Amino acid sequence: MDRSALLDIELATLFQVSQILSSPSSLGETLDQVLQALHEHGELHRGMVSLVDPDSGALLVNAIHGRSTLSASEPIRYLPGEGVLGMVLERGEKVVLPRLADEPRFLDRLRLYDRELPLISVPIRAGPGQYSGVLAAQPPHCDQWLPERARFLEMVANLIARSVRLSWELERERRALTAERDSLRRVVRGNYGFDSVVGHSRPMQRVFEQVRQVAKWNTTVLIRGESGTGKELIASAIHYNSPRASGPFIKLNCAALPDNLLESELFGHEKGAFTGAFSQRKGRFEQAHNGTLFLDEIGDVSPVFQVKLLRVLQEGELERVGSSHTLRVDVRIIAATNRDLETEVEAGDFREDLYYRLNVMPIFMPSLRQRPEDVPDLARFLVEKIAKQQGRPLSVTDSAIRLLMRHDWPGNVRELENCLERGAIMSEGGVIDQDVIELSGLEQQGGMSAILHDQERMGLHDPDLDERERVIAALEQAGWVQAKAARLLGMTPRQIAYRIQTLNIKVRRL
Ligand SMILES: Nc1ncnc2c1ncn2[C@@H]1O[C@H](COP(=O)(O)OP(=O)(O)OP(=O)(O)O)[C@@H](O)[C@H]1O
Ligand SMILES: [Mg+2]
């Protein structure tokens, strides 16, 4: 062969290799194709690529031309410095052997090469002074062009190096992302799994048992209980302990929105479906596909909207507002309410069919006064939680806990949490003692009965008052301080805020 014929071969091969490297495929496929091109166009046979395994530092054979399969169960490996390939990697220099049989370091682990022919092995560079692997091949004869052939193989190795580097970078990114995702999932599980729900009392143990049972299935769950008893917390514990845990957990507070907004929130809307619908939007049902949808305060949904809900619960089908295209969703429903749904069904305010749809598996959250034995653990747990938020160590004394145990907690765990947070703010040294525990005045005199007593004294209990008048009366009594009025009515601040909105009470600003 003359020099110009050799250059023709090399140019044709380079063209092939560059085409292979610029088309998207996995690293393994790319290497196979490059070796194939070297064989078919470049007169370089029995090509082989081995790459350094980042975990062990050993050279693993990744691609061989001339043998159909690489046994994945027993990868062929060379340690640094071992054999001819190990030597190339260790020195970072090419090794050109005119006749393989003459080289005592040749190990012949692959049983691939012709021992009468030359072998060219070149390093694949990872960066300055760093090598990611070795490329080797056999030319069909030993002639004067051997140094030229070796130089050409080095060029190919340099081209391959970029693909290897890219693939490794991708792999590193993938591993980092996976690790981050897994650790985030652990955190989420820690925050929303069972660990974050405190309670050793019998009633709470029963709740845990029910959650454990129901989490496995797609059953609709209805969580009942007074405000602040942990309904939302239990809903997330069910989701994160269910087979849907890796799917989305979507929440919606049904009490917070008027019907038309509730509809577009839940079902989504098409662009231009109503004034203000500037773009198409997915509803919560769609967002919760393959996950769980938590419908909070379901007892507050209007009768008209109850019909719409019933359909999607029964059929799993819905249309976006302004669209006639029917969508199917696979969503597990968890609903919660602090209302007495049975009475509302009897009064005709809540549809009976929807009630039965939702009430497949009811879970009743016990109030805190039904389980005072949980107060010490809860208090310590909540103090830890507040300490994390405030970024400083906090503790609560035994005498403070004894005081807390005597309280009635009409606002349940949320009230306890707020009370401890106030205490934490008041204790500069970070030790919450009884002197900084401030239980709302009324209840301190004797819990619920004191509230009732006060309601009576102030005329809030007058049977002639309707709901709106009662709320207004309480607001008057409280000098229009909503939190105070809420206490008078035995409500949470959120509940009174909601009532003020729905009963269309104009709040007087002081
Ligand atoms: N058993 C519990 N262990 C630890 N924290 C709890 C527990 N129960 C409730 N909490 C905490 O108390 C607060 C109120 O809980 P959550 O919001 O789940 O109550 P809720 O029943 O949904 O109240 P509402 O009816 O007012 O919406 C949350 O901060 C929650 O983390
Ligand atoms: Mg809630």
Side-chain angles (χ1 to χ4, degrees), residues 86-327:
M87 189 164 74
V88 172
L89 191 70
E90 201 179 52
R91 294 188 189 162
E93 274 172 18
K94 64 178 175 249
V95 171
V96 184
L97 305 171
R99 184 170 169 263
L100 199 46
D102 298 338
E103 172 56 51
R105 299 184 66 164
F106 174 60
L107 294 174
D108 200 16
R109 264 189 207 147
L110 298 174
R111 308 202 175 287
L112 172 72
Y113 298 114
D114 185 334
R115 299 171 62 87
E116 295 307 316
L117 293 183
L119 178 73
I120 306 169
S121 312
V122 299
I124 300 171
R125 263 165 239 283
Q130 281 186 309
Y131 303 94
S132 52
V134 176
L135 168 66
Q138 287 197 297
H141 7 252
C142 178
D143 52 22
Q144 88 241 51
W145 302 121
L146 195 56
E148 169 59 26
R149 311 266 40 216
R151 203 186 58 82
F152 176 69
L153 201 64
E154 269 185 310
M155 268 166 78
V156 175
N158 290 341
L159 290 175
I160 292 178
R162 229 183 98 248
S163 298
V164 173
R165 209 164 49 233
L166 263 179
S167 150
W168 278 10
E169 266 161 28
L170 275 178
E171 175 62 18
R172 210 173 29 242
E173 291 283 316
R174 197 188 62 81
R175 284 191 193 194
L177 284 175
T178 313
E180 191 180 341
R181 182 201 62 192
D182 290 350
S183 90
L184 278 177
R185 276 208 185 136
R186 273 192 297 278
V187 172
V188 167
R189 265 175 206 271
N191 285 347
Y192 299 108
F194 281 116
D195 295 349
S196 66
V197 194
V198 176
H200 288 107
S201 58
R202 287 280 294 269
M204 279 308 282
Q205 288 303 316
R206 249 194 58 218
V207 168
F208 290 147
E209 191 43 41
Q210 286 174 312
V211 169
R212 237 174 253 124
Q213 292 297 334
V214 83
K216 291 180 254 177
W217 313 105
N218 280 332
T219 321
T220 300
V221 180
L222 180 61
I223 306 175
R224 317 278 298 265
E226 290 176 15
S227 180
T229 44
K231 295 186 293 296
E232 185 165 337
L233 194 64
I234 286 296
S236 58
I238 293 174
H239 171 76
Y240 287 107
N241 286 284
S242 77
R244 295 171 176 258
S246 56
F249 178 61
I250 305 288
K251 308 177 214 179
L252 185 68
N253 185 335
C254 303
L257 298 169
D259 272 12
N260 56 344
L261 283 184
L262 191 58
E263 181 169 15
S264 80
E265 269 305 316
L266 276 176
F267 303 141
H269 59 72
E270 293 298 329
K271 188 176 171 177
F274 48 83
T275 349
F278 295 117
S279 57
Q280 185 204 56
R281 178 140 166 246
K282 275 190 183 181
R284 305 280 169 117
F285 268 102
E286 271 180 81
Q287 291 170 21
H289 188 55
N290 292 326
T292 305
L293 178 61
F294 176 51
L295 296 173
D296 204 359
E297 321 245 9
I298 190 83
D300 293 71
V301 171
S302 78
V304 177
F305 200 77
Q306 288 169 25
V307 183
K308 299 191 175 172
L309 260 184
L310 188 63
R311 173 172 168 236
V312 55
L313 294 190
Q314 272 172 345
E315 325 280 344
E317 286 181 355
L318 58 96
E319 285 98 32
R320 289 189 188 144
V321 178
S323 159
S324 55
H325 177 64
T326 302
L327 299 163

Side-chain angles (χ1 to χ4, degrees), residues 50-67:
S50 25
L51 297 175
V52 177
D53 171 27
D55 295 329
S56 66
L59 256 186
L60 292 187
V61 175
N62 280 63
I64 297 179
H65 186 258
R67 207 193 284 162

